[in-house]
Amino acid sequence: MVVVTAEPPPGRQEPRLLVSRRRVLQLGLAGGAAAAVGPGLAGVARGEAVPARRPPRAAGAGEGPGAPTGLRTSGLVEPLGLGADDVFFSWHVDDAGRGAVQSAYRVVVTGPPRGAVWDSGRVASDAQAFVPYAGPPLRPDSVYAWTVRTWDGTGRPGPFSSPARFETGLADADWGAQWVRRLTVEAPDDPATFQAEEQFGVWPARAEYTYVRREAVLGPSPVVRARVYVSADQLYELYVNGSMVGKGQAYQFPDSQYYETWDVTHLLRPGRANAFGILYTWQGPAKGHPAGAPGVIARVTVDHDDGGREVVVTDASWRVLPGPWVAPTQRDEEGDPVDYTEHVVGPAVPTGWDRPGFVDAAWAPATVIGEHPARPWSRLVPVRTRQAFRVEPAARLTRLPDGAVVADFGRVYAALPQVRFHHGVPGRVVTMHAGYVLDASGRVSTSHGNQHTDMSYAYVQRGGVETFRSFDYLGFRYLQIDDPGEAMDAADVAAVTKHVAVPDEHAATFRSSDSVLDAVFELGRHSALYTMQEQFVDTPTREKGSWLWDGRNESMTALAAFGDHNQTRKSLLEFAQSQARYWPNGAINKIYPTALGALQLAYFTAIYPEWVWNYWLHTGDRALLTSLYPVVLRVAGFLHAAVEPRTGLITDIPSDTDVPMHPTDTLMNLLAVNVFRRVAAMGAVLGRPRSEIDGQQNRRVALTTAVNRRLSRPDGLYWDGLDSTGVPVPASSQSTNAYALSFGVVPPARAGALADHVAGQGLATEPMMAADVLEALRTSGHAQAVLDMVTDVHRPGWANILARGGTFTWEVWDPTDTDAAVAPLAALYPGNSMSHGWGSNVLAAIQRTFLAVAPTGPGFSTFSVTVPRTTLGAAAGRVPTPAGPVTVAWTRSAAGEIELDLSVPANTAAEVVLAGAAGHRVEEGGRPLASAAGVGAPRASGDALVVPVGAGTYRFTSRSG
């Protein structure tokens, strides 16, 4: 269906931003509107030049701040399709003076229908991130611009920033489109039967691929803005006029189905036929996603220069065709429901189907399920995250004696294999398989390193020049083409890598005097990036599932390495949904979304509030903290309900049996102590009633007392738990004692000896909790032990992964598919993964310990820079924060003398801790600290000197004598 509007559409001026931003601002701020928003923005509206960023100026120079920079809307640069209630603003304060702070801001939003939409006025606040839009309701499918100015600490204003844009998406009532699908034998053409099958979960397990297409002749006026809003259950590719626009995600339950918005302005042809195509797949219920139901929906909005708007929506006029994927089998050989193998019949690919003029008379009409909302899709939710793709050619190609070709991509990637043939033979079947390791003959192993997963592909050639590319992704390093039938070079074989688009893949940097430490940092960065998929996934190969503890660890790296908060926000909200869906008692699913139903592991439930707190420290996102507070409050209630009154300890807590727990489990009790601590802190941040906060604190104190009375050993260490008779189990693991340190359970008089014990064990914890052990050692002053553990190439750990040829963090330190006795956890994780992201958070540990930067206030409003005492001689790098990057470079001589270069972003403050510098001659910029601008009064803490500083660039030196 094509709808042509007779009147100019809402906000029709705004699309002209694509043609002339200056003209739009002149229209939108004409007359009184321009005066209302102040002289800075009015000047932009008059077409005056926006001044370049001013050079740094000395404190007290008499100038106000510069125009804010780094504008983001909901964490994104000029995002498309935001929910009308999901608009938050952030910026960087431009003020190079030492101690620079923001005392106030003013945000002005312009857009349809008449320019000024919302003016916050002058708001006395230092907030510069997650500032919510608070104006009148925003129109759907519209373009808005916004700008901001700030005031410095003395009340001097700065100019308005250059404008930034954002676009709104669609509410459920705005779609006017119909869910459609292809009629299959298993899914009869009967809406009632369709809905009943979905409702009662009787969809058969299968993989279903469907082409959907429609052509539409557009009006002759030039196209100034065109957007496609699209969702498919479960995954799709969108094509317009022969170009693939993007691949989309929808691994969610139908009552909160995701949709995405795509800019197709440059692809459309006014006055001519335009082809819109979608290829989607539905693979039924799986461990990594719920069942949903096969279906697709799309709405195309086209704005013309003459003010007209055309709308194309999915309906019965669209045509459908089965995809050429045949005889799929599920990949997991252990029986878990996962995705399917891909065997593609090249001659059945409808060449040119995505271009105008393609004859689709043999295609069937689409079956209409109903206009949105239609069961089972009761809600469509705009998703902020997007997938990023890059073609990675083979690093090396090897031809084996039997003619097979093995491509080595140098590292493990999450990717779609792609092979180009130059001399295809009609009907020739080319088999392929991906993998992680090679066997002794140089072939890609199918028995080791593949996580018990069928990683095979097959392609029936069409003939001539042709390309095979899988639809979905796997994690792999190698791809073997068993008999390509022709000579190939490295350019013919590629891995189309896939991960969530992040603000900057190298936002965080690190280099040091230890090359192994640097390599481990990169190992963590790479591993986290490629476990950022539709959700954080445990591994991009097996179930591709979003496990809670895995996601928490990977999120730590995503925040620290990329400055990305949207993937974490999305995942935290999803796990909160699992509580509402399954757990009235306050637990949280261990994996979500999933087709496996209510599954809860108490350890995982208990780590969720810590994840929320880490997000808060990295972002300062008060809106999300407010939204999730009831969730963590219920988590606290779930844990407290398991406290056994006689002992005061959590005992026999309901939990799945994936990871064995003692009847009275020390780790479980320690995690609960931390939950009560974090929930109390969140309540204080949000101004909750004093009684509510005190209630959590009282729970924390009582449980801490019980742990120390009943679970501590005479030597000050902690048992791992009590058996069913109340007798201590003999084990006292490193992780148990490390968490006791981190969560403040250890009495101060015993903390030093306990920390020494943990440090003296080497790394004796599996990857799931290993970085938490490092954090406990960092905070207890054992940086050298952290360095030893991270860089030891001979004992289990990250450096050992690298020494053994690994290029991605592993699920266990000794992964194996055959011998469960090799590693303590191997029996629990058969086919354990050589591409597991939960070990990636070593990057955060390196950043905090050796680059020495750790947040102490929300959104890095305050942070510490603790130059460690260690054999590491130097470190330098950058840490992304909402206020801008923190940069650090330090050296420490053998004699303990320190040089530190530090850049503190405007509107933040830091506490510099120079270990071993008490009693030294410490200067900043060659001046005594007492006369250095922006430097507070130093104080001694043991043998360290603690120096508070405001924003600015500093150079500290510490010399003995």
Side-chain angles (χ1 to χ4, degrees):
M1 178 171 67
V2 180
V3 179
V4 181
T5 56
E7 298 296 327
R12 78 168 187 83
Q13 298 117 309
E14 285 299 327
R16 295 174 186 269
L17 284 168
L18 296 167
V19 180
S20 171
R21 185 184 298 272
R22 173 179 171 182
R23 174 62 176 160
V24 170
L25 290 169
Q26 287 173 330
L27 290 171
L29 297 172
V37 298
L41 188 57
V44 176
R46 291 193 299 269
E48 298 172 5
V50 178
R53 179 168 176 159
R54 287 179 274 180
R57 48 194 180 278
E63 299 181 31
T69 61
L71 273 63
R72 301 287 187 272
T73 310
S74 300
L76 303 168
V77 177
E78 303 201 338
L80 307 179
L82 288 180
D85 59 351
D86 190 29
V87 177
F88 296 86
F89 304 114
S90 64
W91 57 87
H92 294 168
V93 174
D94 182 14
D95 192 335
R98 283 198 173 178
V101 295
Q102 172 192 291
S103 63
Y105 67 81
R106 182 183 181 187
V107 173
V108 177
V109 178
T110 60
R114 298 294 179 188
V117 173
W118 177 58
D119 185 341
S120 72
R122 184 181 185 276
V123 178
S125 171
D126 62 355
Q128 65 175 103
F130 300 96
V131 174
Y133 171 79
L138 297 170
R139 297 191 176 200
D141 194 7
S142 297
V143 184
Y144 291 86
W146 69 281
T147 184
V148 61
R149 71 188 306 188
T150 64
W151 283 257
D152 67 13
T154 67
R156 293 174 297 193
F160 276 96
S161 67
S162 298
R165 284 194 329 176
F166 68 92
E167 296 189 19
T168 52
L170 304 174
D172 287 310
D174 300 323
W175 280 79
Q178 295 176 321
W179 284 92
V180 300
R181 63 177 172 88
R182 174 172 58 87
L183 177 63
T184 65
V185 173
E186 299 90 346
D189 187 16
D190 173 5
T193 303
F194 177 88
Q195 292 170 6
E197 286 177 327
E198 182 277 327
Q199 180 179 357
F200 296 109
V202 297
W203 283 107
R206 69 179 188 276
E208 176 182 312
Y209 296 83
T210 301
Y211 292 99
V212 188
R213 74 179 307 273
R214 169 78 159 85
E215 291 189 27
V217 177
L218 297 178
S221 178
V223 175
V224 295
R225 175 181 177 267
R227 302 291 181 261
V228 178
Y229 304 93
V230 59
S231 180
D233 198 340
Q234 294 155 333
L235 296 172
Y236 70 87
E237 294 177 349
L238 172 66
Y239 294 81
V240 174
N241 289 338
S243 295
M244 191 175 86
V245 178
K247 289 177 73 77
Q249 56 182 342
Y251 281 168
Q252 184 54 289
F253 285 84
D255 57 11
S256 52
Q257 176 87 4
Y258 292 128
Y259 78 85
E260 291 163 307
T261 306
W262 300 97
D263 181 354
V264 297
T265 307
H266 62 294
L267 296 175
L268 296 187
R269 312 183 308 174
R272 301 164 65 186
N274 292 262
F276 303 96
I278 301 168
L279 171 60
Y280 77 93
T281 179
W282 178 81
Q283 302 205 10
K287 197 171 187 178
H289 54 75
V296 63
I297 189 171
R299 175 186 171 98
V300 185
T301 301
V302 183
D303 291 332
H304 291 277
D305 188 61
D306 63 4
R309 167 171 284 187
E310 294 180 273
V311 178
V312 181
V313 297
T314 45
D315 57 17
S317 67
W318 290 58
R319 311 286 288 179
V320 296
L321 181 75
W325 282 258
V326 298
T329 58
Q330 289 198 310
R331 291 190 181 278
D332 194 320
E333 297 168 357
E334 295 178 335
D336 281 334
V338 295
D339 293 336
Y340 288 80
T341 57
E342 297 189 43
H343 303 283
V344 181
V345 179
V349 174
T351 304
W353 73 281
D354 54 349
R355 297 179 181 276
F358 177 82
V359 178
D360 58 14
W363 292 33
T367 297
V368 173
I369 301 166
E371 184 171 335
H372 182 75
R375 289 183 61 191
W377 302 285
S378 56
R379 185 173 175 230
L380 280 166
V381 180
V383 62
R384 292 186 189 176
T385 57
R386 293 289 188 275
Q387 300 295 304
F389 298 85
R390 180 172 57 244
V391 177
E392 191 76 33
R396 184 178 63 177
L397 219 61
T398 303
R399 181 173 285 275
L400 303 179
D402 64 357
V405 171
V406 175
D408 179 0
F409 297 98
R411 292 200 280 188
V412 171
Y413 291 98
L416 291 68
Q418 178 173 287
V419 181
R420 183 172 178 83
F421 301 97
H422 296 273
H423 307 288
V425 177
R428 175 195 288 272
V429 179
V430 180
T431 56
M432 297 163 271
H433 60 275
Y436 286 78
V437 296
L438 304 179
D439 62 22
S441 67
R443 302 178 68 84
V444 177
S445 176
T446 58
S447 61
H448 185 68
N450 63 354
Q451 306 173 35
H452 287 193
T453 302
D454 182 347
M455 301 177 69
S456 66
Y457 301 88
Y459 178 67
V460 180
Q461 291 183 332
R462 187 176 59 247
V465 178
E466 54 193 313
T467 299
F468 163 81
R469 191 194 74 215
S470 71
F471 186 89
D472 206 358
Y473 73 98
L474 285 175
F476 61 91
R477 173 172 175 172
Y478 301 99
L479 179 69
Q480 179 171 313
I481 306 150
D482 294 324
D483 183 10
E486 61 181 80
M488 308 194 87
D489 60 36
D492 294 325
V493 187
V496 182
T497 66
K498 174 181 179 290
H499 58 77
V500 164
V502 297
D504 182 352
E505 293 180 24
H506 296 278
T509 61
F510 180 80
R511 65 183 186 280
S512 73
S513 53
D514 190 313
S515 60
V516 175
L517 188 65
D518 298 354
V520 171
F521 184 91
E522 171 59 20
L523 177 71
R525 188 201 69 85
H526 178 82
S527 304
L529 187 63
Y530 287 100
T531 45
M532 295 177 70
Q533 299 297 329
E534 286 76 20
Q535 281 85 20
F536 290 114
V537 296
D538 62 336
T539 168
T541 292
R542 195 168 46 221
E543 66 257 21
K544 306 175 184 176
S546 181
W547 291 75
L548 197 157
W549 200 301
D550 303 64
R552 174 259 182 172
N553 288 12
E554 292 155 16
S555 162
M556 291 176 67
T557 319
L559 292 163
F562 314 125
D564 178 79
H565 72 265
N566 276 322
Q567 179 85 338
T568 296
R569 174 184 179 274
K570 175 174 176 286
S571 196
L572 287 171
L573 288 170
E574 287 170 351
F575 279 105
Q577 288 176 14
S578 80
Q579 187 186 71
R581 188 178 299 275
Y582 294 125
W583 300 104
N585 65 358
I588 294 178
N589 244 41
K590 67 180 181 181
I591 177 173
Y592 190 89
T594 181
L596 301 186
L599 297 171
Q600 187 271 137
L601 185 59
Y603 287 157
F604 285 38
T605 290
I607 203 66
Y608 181 82
E610 179 66 17
W611 186 3
V612 174
W613 185 257
N614 188 64
Y615 175 85
W616 164 247
L617 281 181
H618 274 265
T619 66
D621 184 350
R622 188 181 183 88
L624 189 66
L625 188 69
T626 302
S627 175
L628 296 180
Y629 180 74
V631 179
V632 299
L633 198 63
R634 286 189 286 270
V635 169
F638 166 72
L639 298 173
H640 182 66
V643 173
E644 198 274 318
R646 183 180 59 83
T647 64
L649 294 170
I650 291 176
T651 302
D652 293 327
I653 190 168
S655 183
D656 291 340
T657 58
D658 292 52
V659 176
M661 295 176 60
H662 304 292
T664 301
D665 191 270
T666 305
L667 176 58
M668 187 70 253
N669 280 272
L670 294 171
L671 289 167
V673 167
N674 189 58
V675 168
F676 301 145
R677 176 177 68 142
R678 293 308 193 204
V679 174
M682 294 179 210
V685 167
L686 298 175
R688 300 295 300 172
R690 186 71 252 174
S691 60
E692 188 173 288
I693 299 168
D694 289 345
Q696 299 299 327
Q697 291 286 23
N698 292 339
R699 290 175 175 179
R700 178 188 64 81
V701 171
L703 188 54
T704 297
T705 301
V707 167
N708 283 317
R709 179 185 298 126
R710 297 179 179 274
L711 296 174
S712 63
R713 303 188 334 185
D715 61 0
L717 303 182
Y718 290 84
W719 306 109
D720 279 352
L722 308 177
D723 65 19
S724 58
T725 67
V727 174
V729 300
S732 177
S733 65
Q734 183 181 55
S735 56
T736 293
N737 290 287
Y739 282 116
L741 279 171
S742 290
F743 299 157
V745 172
V746 187
R750 290 163 38 193
L754 184 62
D756 290 344
H757 171 80
V758 173
Q761 291 182 280
L763 186 58
T765 301
E766 289 290 344
M768 172 180 164
M769 301 178 184
D772 292 335
V773 171
L774 302 184
E775 177 65 5
L777 292 173
R778 177 189 77 85
T779 56
S780 61
H782 286 73
Q784 184 59 46
V786 175
L787 181 64
D788 293 342
M789 292 179 187
V790 172
T791 59
D792 190 339
V793 299
H794 302 292
R795 298 182 61 181
W798 298 274
N800 183 251
I801 290 176
L802 294 169
R804 294 164 64 180
T807 61
F808 209 108
T809 52
W810 293 346
E811 187 171 12
V812 295
W813 298 128
D814 291 299
T816 174
D817 291 332
T818 56
D819 185 0
V822 172
L825 292 185
L828 300 173
Y829 302 104
N832 36 73
S833 159
M834 299 176 75
S835 57
H836 220 79
W838 67 6
S840 68
N841 58 340
V842 67
L843 179 146
I846 292 172
Q847 194 178 76
R848 292 186 176 195
T849 308
F850 302 115
L851 196 53
V853 178
T856 56
F860 277 87
S861 55
T862 61
F863 57 93
S864 62
V865 181
T866 306
V867 179
R869 182 173 28 235
T870 170
T871 55
L872 189 70
R878 181 175 64 235
V879 178
T881 82
V886 175
T887 60
V888 176
W890 63 263
T891 61
R892 181 188 286 274
S893 70
E897 296 183 335
I898 300 170
E899 291 187 356
L900 168 65
D901 291 298
L902 171 65
S903 177
V904 179
N907 207 34
T908 69
E911 195 168 70
V912 176
V913 183
L914 304 173
H920 283 198
R921 185 178 74 257
V922 179
E923 297 178 335
E924 192 287 311
R927 299 180 297 275
L929 296 182
S931 61
V935 177
R939 70 179 190 277
S941 177
D943 70 346
L945 191 69
V946 181
V947 185
V949 298
T953 301
Y954 301 87
R955 182 177 180 81
F956 291 97
T957 57
S958 170
R959 301 280 186 265
S960 58

